[in-house]
Amino acid sequence: MKVVGWNGGVVLSEQAAVPVMDHGFLYGMTLFETMRTYGGRPFLLERHLKRLAEACGTLGIRYTLDVNQAERHIGEVMAANGLEEAYVRYTVSAGENGFGLPAGDYVAPLTLVLTKPLPSMPDMLYENGKPLQLLRTRRNVPEADIRYKSGHYMNNIVAKRELAACRSAEQGAEGLMLTADGKLAEGIVSNVFFVAGDRLCTPAIEAGILPGITRGFVMELAPACGLLPEEGMYTWDDLRQAEEIFITTSVQELVPITSLLDTDGKWVQVGQGRIGSYTDKLLQMYRAAAETVQ
């Protein structure tokens, strides 16, 4: 990644520098969105930017977002890096506002657009799935009423380090964090779903999770598959009894979970040990919708 988007322009990565007094650097006041492209265009871009704009407004970051302009800029950065498809990170840093907590709004935010090739996602991943590893690291509570997709990622990094020490990491496992009182929260970089009868269940926003863009879109698709989307406070035992489990991310789409491991390493198979019928239907519907952005 030799070239990045910087405040609406395209520059060499070493030329993009955040001032030491920027509150993104000093106090973690950054917000970002990650997404992937299909046919060279970012999927659900409008929803991603709406979430970003709402968070900026709540935090007093004066930043005007234009979907068409943002899409053009992302395309320019991709082209400069020789990418036809990309993993995209769109970041807004609050900017400078004195040394100390801010007395007013942030009026000069900075924008950074990073692009890189999509990670390898072999077909076997979507057929045989991956393990979900229960972690001892608990999900921290959001800084506000809902969790923002912010640069304050220490909780996730601690969880990632714990996962790296687990044997399941060698199998590409995702790590699962619970709330402080033991309810299901979310993966390190994903939202979690499970099928129970005719219900598609996912932890509620009240569990302190990030309201994922892909999560929300999948819930909209569920009725067409004969599933009733349901948000609630669930437990590890609910997962152990589930007929199907999958995780969602904007880059990897829907990934089936075909085994569960607890903190003692005890293993249980999910369903038949491969992608379930509902998960398969939802994945195909999601991809069909994504292809329409071309």
Side-chain angles (χ1 to χ4, degrees), residues 29-31 49-65 92 94 102 104-106 142-150 211:
M29 290 291 287
T30 63
L31 298 162
L49 295 185
K50 181 175 184 292
R51 181 172 66 176
L52 180 61
E54 289 175 349
C56 283
T58 300
L59 297 174
I61 301 172
R62 296 186 191 174
Y63 186 69
T64 301
L65 285 160
V92 174
D105 286 354
Y106 294 96
E143 292 83 1
D145 292 338
I146 63 170
R147 186 175 299 280
Y148 300 129
K149 196 169 181 67
S150 76

Side-chain angles (χ1 to χ4, degrees), residues 1 3-5 77 81 87-91 112-116:
M1 185 170 51
V3 178
V4 303
V77 180
N81 283 293
Y87 174 119
V88 180
R89 173 169 164 149
Y90 194 104
T91 303
L112 172 65
V113 177
L114 303 177
T115 61
K116 65 179 181 180

